[in-house]
Amino acid sequence: MNEIFRYVDQHRERFLSELFALLRQPSISTQNVGVAECAALLKGQMEAIGIPARIVPTGGHPVVYGELSVAGAKRTILIYGHYDVQPPEPLELWNTPPFEPTIRDGRIWGRGTGDNKGQFFAHLKAVEAVLKVTGRLPVNVKFLFEGEEEISSRSLRGFIETNRPLLAADYAFCSDGPMLPNHQPTILFGVRGILHVEVSLQGANRDVHSGNLGVFVPAPAWRLVHFLNTLKDAQGRILIKGFADAVVPPSPLEKDALRKIPFDPIVLTGLGLPAVAPEAGQGYFERLMFQPAVNICGLTSGYQGRGTKTIVPHKASAKIDMRLVVNQDPDDIFEKFVAHAKAHGFDDLQIERQGGFYPSRTPLDHPLGAAAARAVRQGFGKEPILQPCMGGSDPDYYFTRVLGIPRINVPYAPHDENNHAPNESIMLEGFFSGIKTTAAFLHEAATL
Ligand SMILES: [Zn+2]
């Protein structure tokens, strides 16, 4: 491994300039800006390493797929990443332009540095380093890079279902999301699921004068407030009947892992909020990883410009996201949500489902986790924290449920990577230690 690590150290400048080429290419999936060009660039970068690659069309943005088979290799690793990025707006809040990557304060700044180009590019450079130094990989490697993660991976499930033999593997591996606030590496074994719902109400066919007709016309804004009020009580308990029936509480092993995750009050103080005691952190992690949540993420009705406008708005709507945990099923939860609205007399409420993901988890004591931990110790020179789950959501269940293989996620971006926000970054050391970690992981996985 030392020789491989030396190769990584010797080629830092070139690795950076290649990553910068990828970062300079916008690939904003939701705006369809530069995505096809980025796929072509990525394919070329994979081929330059010696990975046969192709662009596979889907109903949406293409998948870039690559594969390196090794005679005699016993294990196959499926590496997942996404080459699409979030829109860069608001542009005026960026210190340097989003698609002109810059190095400052030990970090690379730019859209996609952390989420997810900088992270998956580390896997490609790891493969290059292992190939150049040893001549062969210790495992077969398959690469699945999608261009729609930031728009809920719309085509990925179809792609995976129609390409099962192509994607057959023993384990799935990825790097997405952040490390811990103390820059300690972490290994994530699962994700929460998510269900997006938009609810809307309409009264009259247009806004009306609140003084004249206000007493006669229905008020959708008030009615929406009353509906939202039925979802949770003042203590934050979710009131949808049967909502938490399928929730599996943490096992003793998982509880033990939760206790070892350091809670840094900066998660609150950094947001200008009062700090909480470290003990409260324990409850925080259990809620984050093992309990579902119902969140109002958008609320719209009436006039919201400057000054006043005396109307009864004729429409009101809210966007709601429900974070789900193992073994909640988004289909079942949606039915329960609809039934809840009916049971409370909100038959006039329009409820639109807007996609989501299943929750998913790989067992904390799976040997794959131990292999990743050994790799992190070599690559980062630090002890990793094992997290049973992350609070966010991604298509993990496509691997664990659809393909039926375990997946773990070892993030290489910092906790304050500002993904989806202005001034996104990855630390240089995270990128290079990540390359070394992936290289070590390929060797560790070969021994499983
Ligand atoms: Zn993202």
Side-chain angles (χ1 to χ4, degrees):
M1 208 40 69
N2 281 342
E3 241 183 286
I4 294 170
F5 287 2
R6 203 169 312 124
Y7 180 91
V8 174
D9 292 335
Q10 282 164 353
H11 292 84
R12 284 170 70 107
E13 290 309 313
R14 178 172 57 80
F15 286 1
L16 282 178
S17 73
E18 291 169 2
L19 171 61
F20 278 27
L22 193 61
L23 293 169
R24 274 189 206 104
Q25 173 60 56
S27 50
I28 311 164
S29 47
T30 198
Q31 299 171 349
N32 195 16
V33 171
V35 184
E37 293 85 344
C38 190
L41 175 66
L42 174 56
K43 173 178 178 277
Q45 288 183 322
M46 292 165 75
E47 287 167 341
I49 298 168
I51 304 165
R54 57 195 154 104
I55 295 173
V56 189
T58 68
H61 299 304
V63 161
V64 181
Y65 179 80
E67 193 177 318
L68 261 179
S69 297
V70 187
K74 288 194 189 70
R75 296 287 176 214
T76 301
I77 312 294
L78 177 59
I79 292 180
Y80 163 80
H82 65 91
Y83 66 88
D84 65 324
V85 298
Q86 286 274 325
E89 290 82 6
L91 294 173
E92 66 276 12
L93 294 185
W94 286 80
N95 294 328
T96 45
F99 296 108
E100 289 173 28
T102 341
I103 295 176
R104 203 165 63 241
D105 306 326
R107 293 179 182 229
I108 312 163
W109 301 84
R111 176 54 90 227
T113 47
D115 185 17
N116 176 246
K117 290 172 178 172
Q119 300 212 52
F120 78 68
F121 199 69
H123 304 319
L124 291 175
K125 291 295 107 177
V127 165
E128 178 194 314
V130 175
L131 282 177
K132 282 277 162 25
V133 173
T134 69
R136 79 191 280 277
L137 294 181
V139 287
N140 303 309
V141 179
K142 297 177 174 181
F143 295 93
L144 169 57
F145 296 130
E146 69 157 318
E148 295 188 312
E149 197 269 352
E150 302 296 4
I151 48 173
S152 301
S153 303
R154 288 173 196 161
S155 309
L156 186 62
R157 181 165 185 164
F159 176 83
I160 287 179
E161 280 175 344
T162 51
N163 291 285
R164 280 170 199 271
L166 180 72
L167 301 172
D170 298 292
Y171 313 111
F173 182 67
C174 73
S175 298
D176 203 0
M179 291 162 57
L180 292 165
N182 63 0
H183 301 306
Q184 199 169 357
T186 177
I187 300 174
L188 296 158
F189 289 75
V191 297
R192 285 203 290 188
I194 192 163
L195 171 64
H196 299 276
V197 168
E198 182 157 357
V199 294
S200 51
L201 286 157
Q202 178 159 357
N205 62 6
R206 56 184 177 274
D207 294 351
V208 299
H209 190 295
S210 60
N212 291 345
L213 283 166
V215 291
F216 292 117
V217 297
W222 271 118
R223 193 155 167 73
L224 180 65
V225 168
H226 290 305
F227 170 71
L228 295 174
N229 204 34
T230 67
L231 295 175
K232 266 171 140 183
D233 67 14
Q235 280 70 48
R237 283 183 293 248
I238 299 163
L239 302 175
I240 301 167
K241 197 170 166 224
F243 189 82
D245 284 358
V247 172
V248 181
S251 67
L253 182 68
E254 288 165 334
K255 281 204 157 153
D256 191 48
L258 289 179
R259 272 192 289 276
K260 291 180 183 148
I261 306 172
F263 177 76
D264 191 328
I266 195 167
V267 297
L268 292 173
T269 54
L271 295 170
L273 298 167
V276 296
E279 305 83 80
Q282 275 334 114
Y284 164 76
F285 289 123
E286 187 165 336
R287 284 176 64 186
L288 191 74
M289 299 176 194
F290 290 91
Q291 290 176 24
V294 173
N295 174 49
I296 299 170
C297 48
L299 200 51
T300 306
S301 188
Y303 178 69
Q304 288 164 37
R306 276 170 68 92
T308 59
K309 192 179 184 198
T310 46
I311 51 163
V312 177
H314 74 294
K315 279 183 179 170
S317 63
K319 288 179 186 287
I320 296 167
D321 66 76
M322 290 172 256
R323 296 282 177 179
L324 309 178
V325 295
V326 171
N327 288 319
Q328 287 178 299
D329 174 336
D331 296 335
D332 174 59
I333 294 297
F334 183 68
E335 277 174 27
K336 284 174 171 156
F337 186 88
V338 172
H340 172 89
K342 287 218 161 31
H344 285 77
F346 289 91
D347 296 295
D348 53 334
L349 191 73
Q350 300 287 317
I351 304 174
E352 192 193 335
R353 182 176 175 171
Q354 295 179 322
F357 289 131
Y358 280 81
S360 167
R361 227 175 277 162
T362 288
L364 206 51
D365 52 1
H366 194 287
L368 185 62
R374 292 194 294 274
V376 166
R377 282 182 207 114
Q378 297 167 65
F380 278 86
K382 290 181 181 174
E383 187 64 25
I385 289 287
L386 309 188
Q387 297 197 62
C389 185
M390 65 178 187
S393 308
D394 80 3
D396 194 24
Y397 79 99
Y398 293 176
F399 302 94
T400 58
R401 287 172 66 120
V402 180
L403 288 177
I405 55 174
R407 188 192 83 164
I408 51 158
N409 178 3
V410 184
Y412 298 155
H415 78 102
D416 53 352
E417 61 174 316
N418 280 339
N419 48 347
H420 300 204
N423 303 312
E424 183 178 344
S425 71
I426 190 169
M427 294 173 82
L428 286 168
E429 286 324 305
F431 175 61
F432 291 115
S433 300
I435 297 172
K436 293 175 182 175
T437 298
T438 303
F441 175 73
L442 298 177
H443 287 87
E444 293 295 338
T447 68
L448 293 177

